[in-house]
């Protein structure tokens, strides 16, 4: 199947996993809300302030993240206050951590202002920096020039 990629014009993109993922997380504020959730932000006001979006935008994006199953809404109540909701990453949302890590890593290397990364993410147990890597299921690191693309079971042809 060495010419599989050369036949891309014969593929339908309606079932593309990247396109479908971008439908869920493909805008700036959504990714930044997920960043904040991965850092432990839970409260609506903190999300809106830390991401730098208006309350209506934060409300709409958080509502959609809940509907898409990436965040769960959980009620909490401060003493003397009304009940409010906090937002936590679901297992589905936690599976985006490697994506967020890869974006941060790329940004540190190619989009930073030269002062270095704004945050470092470390492994709690040993203190080593956490990085995203391409690895095969057999455990080998895979450089980009050693990747082969093959048809999957969901490929739709024109």
């Amino acid at each position: 199947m060495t010419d599989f990629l050369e036949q891309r014009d014969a593929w339908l993109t309606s079932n593309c996993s990247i396109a479908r993922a971008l439908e869920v997380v493909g805008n700036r504020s959504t990714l930044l809300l997920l960043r904040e959730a991965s850092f432990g932000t839970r409260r609506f006001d903190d999300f809106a302030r830390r991401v730098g979006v208006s309350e209506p935008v934060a409300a709409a994006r958080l509502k959609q993240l809940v509907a898409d199953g990436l965040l769960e809404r959980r009620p909490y109540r401060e003493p003397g206050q009304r009940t409010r909701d906090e937002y936590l990453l679901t297992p589905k949302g936690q599976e985006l951590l490697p994506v967020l890590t890869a974006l941060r890593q790329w940004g540190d290397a190619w989009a930073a202002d030269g002062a270095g990364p704004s945050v470092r993410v470390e492994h709690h147990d040993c203190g080593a920096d956490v990085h995203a890597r391409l690895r095969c299921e057999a455990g080998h690191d895979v450089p980009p020039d050693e990747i082969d693309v093959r048809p999957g079971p969901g490929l739709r042809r024109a």
Side-chain angles (χ1 to χ4, degrees):
M1 286 259 177
T2 56
D3 62 347
F4 177 67
L5 284 176
E6 294 172 9
Q7 300 170 13
R8 284 193 307 274
D9 289 335
W11 306 352
L12 295 176
T13 58
S14 59
N15 199 32
C16 173
S17 297
I18 293 173
R20 287 183 172 192
L22 287 173
E23 288 175 9
V24 176
V25 299
N27 68 55
R28 183 179 194 275
S29 59
T30 298
L31 286 169
L32 294 178
L33 289 166
L34 289 167
R35 174 201 66 195
E36 286 305 315
S38 77
F39 287 167
T41 299
R42 292 183 171 190
R43 300 198 174 161
F44 176 84
D45 292 340
D46 294 333
F47 278 111
R49 181 174 43 80
R50 291 179 179 151
V51 172
V53 295
S54 68
E55 289 187 2
V57 169
R61 298 284 190 267
L62 289 169
K63 181 179 180 181
Q64 190 61 52
L65 286 167
V66 170
D68 289 333
L70 300 174
L71 292 178
E72 78 173 278
R73 193 179 348 223
R74 191 179 301 165
Y76 74 93
R77 186 173 180 179
E78 296 284 337
Q81 299 290 322
R82 67 179 173 87
T83 300
R84 297 176 183 240
D85 290 326
E86 64 180 2
Y87 299 87
L88 294 101
L89 284 171
T90 63
K92 183 178 179 180
Q94 290 172 359
E95 289 218 14
L96 281 168
L97 291 177
V99 175
L100 295 172
T101 299
L103 283 170
R104 181 175 25 263
Q105 188 174 319
W106 184 89
D108 289 348
W110 298 101
D113 65 4
S118 60
V119 298
R120 290 181 49 235
V121 178
E122 299 177 347
H123 180 205
H124 175 74
D125 288 349
C126 72
D129 286 343
V130 173
H131 298 282
R133 301 175 119 169
L134 291 175
R135 296 178 66 89
C136 70
E137 288 184 2
H140 306 110
D141 285 347
V142 181
D145 63 343
E146 292 181 17
I147 294 173
D148 292 329
V149 178
R150 304 280 187 240
L155 179 69
R156 296 179 184 155
R157 298 182 188 271

